[in-house]
């Protein structure tokens, strides 16, 4: 935390307001993680329909994240954050207003815009504010808002659903989103600092996506998104069907505590040991979590799976953000974040309907086994393709070499040539 003490008062206040808004935003969103699948189940949906409704959330992310990324680069980060919190405050009323599967799909798509906007604006703004030499540490601390929100939200949502019903649950979710909006209104919107014009500034989305420094992380996030979507959509239903005495809300709370704990150390350590080692570790943790769910027959194994899943999220997603910040200019950072994280969105979108069909055929347990195999492919791709060649990729993924695509390393290489 010493790095934060070097900032001026206005910047520290800006970061504190951002952190608080992020905490409220993720608490609002995650309060529905263990409860919304149960609500959809209660209105008479099949396993496949539950998957389609839950997966529709990612459609909103996929459709709107690219334009929101460009908006963040052209108009500043704050307007995108405002859009995200406004949608988070409105969407829960949509769930409250209908029990139609078709309308729930539309509400879920609309709700997805909130994450597309908020995560793009939040990540880009923090990357702008953090000095390059302590970027991992600052982003690590600021992204603690996510696991804290994911710890508070599911426990709160599970409690409200059990004691007060779905109506109060949706109202509280909307209220948390509204308070996040009030926080973002107070954020000072700094201009996006641009460097001298380069060819990179004129690249379109397809040119950016096809570049190796963006393409491989995006594919990895796509495959990992499948496992995240499987866990978030089906773990509560799996617990219910397996009759194991372990609450779905507690699963997500344990996951969030694990994520919180590891982020405290991972961000600062990545400034010293590099991002690749922690990304590799994060993907491995997701593979382990899915294997444990595949073999889970007791509360202890479910708890271990939650801890592994949280450790994966606490390292992989935050370190991927830091790595992409290292690889991007401020004036294209919003677009690059949007594209890379869109891979995660697509994985989540595919996961719910695709794995829902698999679950119909083989059951929830074996579905998690398939998920473990898919996520193992992501691990292999990152370890072998994350840098300019196989040798460099292996060394980077194991923390033995710097990121060849980081702008500071590219600059040093250019000067040497």
């Amino acid at each position: 935390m010493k790095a934060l003490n070097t900032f001026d008062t206005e910047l520290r206040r800006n970061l504190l307001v951002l952190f608080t808004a992020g905490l409220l935003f993720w608490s609002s969103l995650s309060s529905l993680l263990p409860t919304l699948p149960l609500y959809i189940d209660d209105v008479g949906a099949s396993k496949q329909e539950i998957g389609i409704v839950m997966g529709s959330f990612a459609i909103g992310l996929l459709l709107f994240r690219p334009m929101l990324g460009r908006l963040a680069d052209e108009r500043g980060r704050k307007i995108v954050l405002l859009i995200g919190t406004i949608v988070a405050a409105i969407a829960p009323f949509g769930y409250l207003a209908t029990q139609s599967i078709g309308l729930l799909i539309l509400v879920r798509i609309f709700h997805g815009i909130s994450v597309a906007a908020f995560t793009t604006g939040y990540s880009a703004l923090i990357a702008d504010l953090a000095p390059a030499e302590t970027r991992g540490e600052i982003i690590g601390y600021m992204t603690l808002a996510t696991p804290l929100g994911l710890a508070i939200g599911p426990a709160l949502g599970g409690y409200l659903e059990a004691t007060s019903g779905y109506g109060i649950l949706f109202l509280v979710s909307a209220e948390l989103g509204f308070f996040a909006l009030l926080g973002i209104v107070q954020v000072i919107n700094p201009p996006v600092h641009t460097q001298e014009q380069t060819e990179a500034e004129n690249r379109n989305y397809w040119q950016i996506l096809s570049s190796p420094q963006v393409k491989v992380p995006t594919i990895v996030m796509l495959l990992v998104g499948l496992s995240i979507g499987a866990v978030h959509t089906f773990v509560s239903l799996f617990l219910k069907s397996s009759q194991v005495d372990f609450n779905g809300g507690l699963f997500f709370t344990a996951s969030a505590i694990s994520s919180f704990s590891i982020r405290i150390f991972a961000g600062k350590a990545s400034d010293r040991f590099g991002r690749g080692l922690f990304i590799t570790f994060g993907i491995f943790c997701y593979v382990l979590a899915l294997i444990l769910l595949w073999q889970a027959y007791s509360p202890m194994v479910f708890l271990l799976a939650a801890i592994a899943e949280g450790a994966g999220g606490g390292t992989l997603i935050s370190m991927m953000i830091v790595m992409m910040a290292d690889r991007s200019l401020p004036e294209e950072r919003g677009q690059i974040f949007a594209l890379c994280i869109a891979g995660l969105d697509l994985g989540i979108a595919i996961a719910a309907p695709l794995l829902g069909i698999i679950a119909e055929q083989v059951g929830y347990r074996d579905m998690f086994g398939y998920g473990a195999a898919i996520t193992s492919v992501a691990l292999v791709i990152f370890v072998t393709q994350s840098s300019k060649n196989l040798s460099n990729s292996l060394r980077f993924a194991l923390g033995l070499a710097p990121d060849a695509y980081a702008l500071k390393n590219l600059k040093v290489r250019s000067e040497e040539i």
Side-chain angles (χ1 to χ4, degrees):
M1 299 295 285
K2 291 180 181 178
L4 296 175
N5 295 329
T6 64
F7 296 158
D8 59 49
T9 302
E10 181 178 295
L11 181 54
R12 284 202 301 270
R13 178 186 175 277
N14 225 20
L15 291 174
L16 178 60
V17 171
L18 268 174
F19 185 90
T20 304
L23 178 62
L24 291 166
F25 174 84
W26 287 110
S27 296
S28 168
L29 192 78
S30 65
S31 66
L32 304 180
L33 279 179
T35 53
L36 191 56
L38 300 176
Y39 174 72
I40 301 167
D41 185 47
D42 284 349
V43 301
S46 66
K47 291 178 182 178
Q48 186 175 351
E49 287 173 331
I50 293 171
I52 291 171
V53 174
M54 295 300 294
S56 297
F57 184 87
I59 296 175
L61 277 79
L62 289 167
L63 290 178
F64 289 90
R65 196 187 285 278
M67 66 181 72
L68 289 166
R70 185 175 292 278
L71 182 64
D73 287 336
E74 294 177 351
R75 298 285 301 279
R77 320 307 190 192
K78 183 173 179 177
I79 187 171
V80 181
L81 288 166
L82 288 171
I83 292 170
T85 49
I86 288 170
V87 174
I90 294 173
F93 291 107
Y95 301 121
L96 184 61
T98 183
Q99 294 187 349
S100 162
I101 299 300
L103 292 177
L104 285 171
I105 290 172
L106 294 177
V107 174
R108 195 71 178 147
I109 292 171
F110 175 70
H111 206 173
I113 299 172
S114 66
V115 175
F118 193 88
T119 54
T120 300
Y122 190 87
S123 300
L125 181 53
I126 295 169
D128 292 344
L129 297 174
E133 61 274 12
T134 57
R135 181 174 286 151
E137 182 179 3
I138 300 302
I139 291 178
Y141 292 149
M142 291 298 293
T143 56
L144 287 173
T146 303
L148 278 174
L150 291 172
I152 295 169
L156 176 63
Y159 172 79
L160 291 173
E161 184 272 330
T163 59
S164 304
Y166 292 113
I168 297 298
L169 165 67
F170 294 137
L171 288 174
V172 170
S173 177
E175 186 175 2
L176 290 170
F178 176 73
F179 283 118
L181 171 62
L182 294 182
I184 294 301
V185 169
Q186 301 177 55
V187 170
I188 298 173
N189 191 27
V192 178
H193 298 291
T194 60
Q195 301 179 6
E196 292 183 12
Q197 277 199 338
T198 65
E199 291 182 8
E201 293 180 53
N202 298 317
R203 293 187 296 172
N204 60 37
Y205 280 113
W206 293 112
Q207 290 173 320
I208 294 173
L209 182 59
S210 64
S211 62
Q213 61 264 45
V214 177
K215 178 175 61 178
V216 171
T218 302
I219 292 171
V220 169
M221 294 292 270
L222 165 64
L223 296 173
V224 172
L226 289 168
S227 64
I228 295 175
V231 172
H232 287 186
T233 303
F234 296 111
V235 75
S236 295
L237 296 166
F238 179 38
L239 280 163
K240 183 178 178 180
S241 66
S242 66
Q243 298 182 339
V244 174
D245 186 19
F246 191 80
N247 184 275
L250 292 179
F251 179 95
F252 289 107
T253 298
S255 173
I257 292 172
S258 172
S259 178
F260 173 87
S261 301
I262 202 162
R263 282 182 204 229
I264 294 176
F265 307 103
K268 186 174 183 179
S270 77
D271 289 328
R272 180 179 178 184
F273 299 108
R275 325 303 185 194
L277 177 63
F278 294 93
I279 293 174
T280 301
F281 174 76
I283 302 170
F284 173 78
C285 285
Y286 274 117
V287 175
L288 178 61
L290 288 161
I291 291 174
L292 288 170
L293 286 171
W294 178 34
Q295 298 297 316
Y297 292 94
S298 67
M300 180 56 68
V301 179
F302 276 105
L303 178 62
L304 292 173
I307 292 171
E309 200 267 346
T315 49
L316 173 63
I317 297 175
S318 59
M319 288 303 99
M320 195 68 82
I321 290 171
V322 179
M323 186 178 76
M324 300 317 293
D326 293 341
R327 295 179 173 189
S328 61
L329 296 168
E331 57 267 30
E332 64 177 0
R333 189 165 286 153
Q335 297 177 70
I336 286 180
F337 280 176
L339 284 170
C340 183
I341 301 174
L344 186 71
D345 302 339
L346 181 58
I348 294 172
I350 295 171
L354 174 62
L355 297 179
I357 294 172
I358 294 174
E360 289 276 10
Q361 300 299 318
V362 301
Y364 293 123
R365 182 177 303 281
D366 288 342
M367 178 204 68
F368 287 117
Y370 282 100
I374 292 169
T375 312
S376 297
V377 175
L379 181 60
V380 172
I381 290 174
F382 184 76
V383 169
T384 61
Q385 303 292 320
S386 58
S387 195
K388 293 192 172 182
N389 54 55
L390 177 59
S391 174
N392 221 252
S393 295
L394 287 170
R395 288 168 54 78
F396 172 60
L398 296 176
L400 301 175
D403 184 2
Y405 292 124
L407 294 184
K408 61 179 181 180
N409 294 330
L410 288 173
K411 183 178 179 181
V412 169
R413 185 180 177 87
S414 176
E415 290 174 350
E416 289 176 350
I417 294 173

